[in-house]
Amino acid sequence: MKILYFAWIRAKTGVATEEVTPPSSVTDVAALIEWLKGRGGGFAEALKNPAIVRVAVNQEYVKPHHPVRAGDEIAIFPPVTGG
């Protein structure tokens, strides 16, 4: 699973992109965010409020209950504003 981090989430985690293999209990976006948060440090800080984090799976915006699988590309970013 490839994870991409954007904007202040990337700054707090110190990671732009990474390949991960979460445990089999991680079956949806919400569980993935919790697992990433559990890594501590910048991940815990960046993901402490999942309600303000947006996620795309394979380039489509998804809700927390959306399934995730090995081979997926997951993008995690703060809310996007227009202007």
Side-chain angles (χ1 to χ4, degrees), residues 3-77:
I3 303 183
L4 310 168
Y5 303 94
F6 293 93
W8 57 259
I9 295 174
R10 176 177 40 207
K12 288 184 180 189
T13 63
V15 178
T17 183
E18 65 178 335
E19 294 280 339
V20 299
T21 305
S24 60
S25 60
V26 174
T27 59
D28 64 14
V29 168
L32 177 64
I33 296 297
E34 287 302 310
W35 178 73
L36 290 169
K37 242 181 11 179
R39 297 166 80 186
F43 291 94
E45 176 64 24
L47 303 171
K48 68 182 174 186
N49 185 357
I52 64 168
V53 173
R54 300 296 177 250
V55 177
V57 175
N58 301 320
Q59 301 182 4
E60 291 189 33
Y61 290 110
V62 297
K63 300 285 185 185
H65 63 276
H66 187 83
V68 295
R69 296 175 187 84
D72 282 345
E73 179 187 82
I74 314 294
I76 303 174
F77 46 91

